[in-house]
Amino acid sequence: MSRDERDAAYNNTNAVKNSAELNAAREAQSAAFRKAHPQHLDLPYGPGERNKWDLFPAADPNAPCLVFVHGGYWQRNSREMFASLIEGPYAHGWAAALPGYTLAPDASLTEIVAEINAALDWLVANGPAHGINGKVVLSGWSAGGHLTAQCLDHPRVSAGLAISGIFELGPIRDTYLNEKLRLSDEEIAELSPLRLPMVPKPLAITYGTAELPPLVADSRALHAKRSAEHLPGPLIPVAGADHFTITHELRDADGELTRQLLLLA
């Protein structure tokens, strides 16, 4: 493949022609949701500018909690842009929480993974004081899907829902994405979930059937590897969904991913 072909294979923005409109709508909905629930926002868990939590506790402090990690190929976006995606489970009485993290190139992928684990450590110590004391299901979209699989073994996490993730990093190094990521051989080996021992916790893996082939292939491959070891968690192909519209299935109270999430508690 040429460099242009390799780049196109991972360029979701170009592959979905109305991605700008979809992103703008999600960001507007997220701003409205945060404005309506301002009590536990911007809580620092570490020294970095982006090392902050937005927490949305449920009426019941022992309700399950969705921890949602935003996407953007580890180098774009912020937690504030994705608050609307927790509306589905929140409507079912779940708590929800969104951690931020430092973006590449200001942080390596090794450091980003460490920040998510540090955020979860903070939630162990401080979640109850903010009304979050229930079971944690870790989820994320795109790069957040990768971080979900990578951090599934954290003791605070009971199960995971990885949405449209990248689980093999090798091909990324040969694309435009590596200009900021600067992946090392060690990171590719140690941070590719497909190369690591499988975590024996439930992990639901989902992708849209209209997504780019590498994201579909990685999702199917990770599920196949887990299935070969008889580990729990469904593979969920969302019919007709692209890389951006698949998130609507978590945003909506009756969405397919919201329904699957409820089964993981």
Side-chain angles (χ1 to χ4, degrees):
M1 296 175 70
S2 69
R3 171 61 187 267
D4 286 347
E5 288 171 328
R6 295 196 300 272
D7 286 350
Y10 286 90
N11 194 322
N12 293 294
T13 298
N14 286 351
V16 180
K17 299 308 180 187
N18 65 332
S19 60
E21 291 95 348
L22 292 167
N23 286 337
R26 185 195 69 241
E27 291 171 27
Q29 292 162 356
S30 294
F33 188 82
R34 293 179 86 247
K35 185 176 181 180
H37 303 86
Q39 295 89 351
H40 305 269
L41 303 181
D42 305 316
L43 303 172
Y45 69 81
E49 179 183 352
R50 288 173 169 264
N51 294 163
K52 294 177 182 176
W53 277 103
D54 287 344
L55 305 182
F56 303 95
D60 178 2
N62 293 314
C65 179
L66 168 67
V67 170
F68 185 86
V69 185
H70 75 79
Y73 277 136
W74 310 276
Q75 55 194 273
R76 293 191 297 274
N77 299 329
S78 67
R79 72 188 189 283
E80 296 95 333
M81 299 176 177
F82 290 83
S84 64
L85 299 193
I86 60 94
E87 289 194 56
Y90 193 76
H92 286 274
W94 281 46
L98 293 90
Y101 55 90
T102 307
L103 303 179
D106 294 331
S108 68
L109 189 52
T110 298
E111 291 167 333
I112 291 170
V113 170
E115 287 187 358
I116 298 301
N117 280 315
L120 291 166
D121 289 344
W122 183 96
L123 195 64
V124 171
N126 298 282
H130 293 276
I132 295 178
N133 201 37
K135 182 183 294 186
V136 165
V137 178
L138 182 62
S139 183
W141 164 79
S142 198
H146 163 268
L147 293 168
T148 295
Q150 197 64 29
C151 300
L152 185 65
D153 61 349
H154 190 280
R156 187 66 177 90
V157 175
S158 298
L161 170 64
I163 305 169
S164 305
I166 298 293
F167 306 116
E168 168 52 53
L169 300 175
I172 294 287
R173 186 163 55 181
D174 298 320
T175 73
Y176 73 102
L177 298 171
N178 202 46
E179 293 168 10
K180 291 184 177 180
L181 286 172
R182 303 168 189 165
L183 293 167
S184 67
D185 289 342
E186 292 76 16
E187 286 179 315
I188 290 171
E190 295 172 5
L191 302 178
S192 291
L194 276 165
R195 302 193 188 197
L196 301 175
M198 297 294 102
V199 178
K201 297 179 184 179
L203 177 64
I205 301 169
T206 183
Y207 63 90
T209 61
E211 297 212 50
L212 290 169
L215 280 73
V216 173
D218 274 14
S219 296
R220 294 178 67 86
L222 183 60
H223 182 263
K225 188 168 182 179
R226 289 178 53 83
S227 294
E229 298 182 24
H230 308 288
L231 298 178
L235 180 68
I236 310 159
V238 179
D242 61 41
H243 193 63
F244 299 92
T245 59
I246 191 172
T247 62
H248 299 171
E249 301 301 319
L250 186 62
R251 177 200 68 190
D252 298 342
D254 62 347
E256 187 169 356
L257 298 187
T258 298
R259 296 197 303 270
Q260 291 289 340
L261 183 72
L262 300 179
L263 299 176
L264 292 171

